[in-house]
Amino acid sequence: LLEYLDQDDLASGMTFQEYKEQQRREKYLRESPLFQRCSNLDLTRIASAMVLETFNKGDKIVNQGESGSAMYFLKQGSVQAIKLANGTEEVLASLSEEGSVFGELALLFGQPRVASVIATSDCILYRLDKAAFLDSIVDSPIWETAKG
């Protein structure tokens, strides 16, 4: 609470709940190897671009073979990454730990999804779109690296 009161967020109208969610998103980013070299300002900008989404058990979050343009952070629930090859489904990963990440290759390279990801329980995720990610860092020193 004291950190919140010391922030300029009060002047911008951010509620304490919004502040806590922003801190959670920044924590997810800090824990991801992809973002570990980002400055605190960059993390704040990127975290602000993340969008909360909910999925029901059985929902397909990403489809194998489709072009990817977003990555996801698991806030609550569980998912499985399943790859279909030669008519056989193979479970590549089961994720249930808060902050788990999937789809990061799509954010970086925009390549087709190598697996489908299905919600194995009701889920709450944060989605980070590539366009929103790039927009959030346009004034950052990591912009040139991200563009490349």
Side-chain angles (χ1 to χ4, degrees), residues 129-145:
D129 291 317
K130 184 173 187 170
F133 166 67
L134 293 176
D135 286 347
S136 71
I137 61 165
V138 76
D139 293 326
S140 164
I142 63 171
W143 170 247
E144 290 302 318
T145 303

Side-chain angles (χ1 to χ4, degrees), residues 51-55 61 72 75 123-127 129:
V51 177
L52 193 66
E53 288 191 345
T54 59
F55 293 90
I61 301 164
Y72 297 86
K75 179 179 178 186
C123 293
I124 302 172
L125 306 170
Y126 283 107
R127 185 187 76 241
D129 291 317

Side-chain angles (χ1 to χ4, degrees), residues 18-108:
E18 291 167 336
Y19 174 79
K20 285 183 3 183
E21 283 300 308
Q22 175 74 12
Q23 294 302 304
R24 180 189 314 258
R25 292 188 303 264
E26 289 179 28
K27 177 181 178 273
Y28 293 165
L29 292 170
R30 260 187 221 93
E31 292 174 352
S32 170
L34 183 60
F35 299 101
Q36 285 183 347
R37 292 187 175 187
C38 292
S39 70
N40 287 336
L41 179 57
D42 288 333
L43 291 175
T44 297
R45 289 176 175 165
I46 297 166
S48 295
M50 296 166 72
V51 177
L52 193 66
E53 288 191 345
T54 59
F55 293 90
N56 296 316
K57 181 179 180 177
D59 286 351
K60 196 175 274 192
I61 301 164
V62 298
N63 294 304
Q64 180 178 339
E66 288 186 354
S67 176
S69 62
M71 67 182 292
Y72 297 86
F73 295 83
L74 185 63
K75 179 179 178 186
Q76 183 180 324
S78 59
V79 299
Q80 276 190 334
I82 300 171
K83 183 175 184 173
L84 181 62
N86 302 321
T88 305
E89 287 187 349
E90 176 187 358
V91 176
L92 300 179
S94 294
L95 305 172
S96 59
E97 185 176 333
E98 181 182 356
S100 295
V101 178
F102 61 93
E104 63 274 17
L105 293 178
L107 182 75
L108 294 175

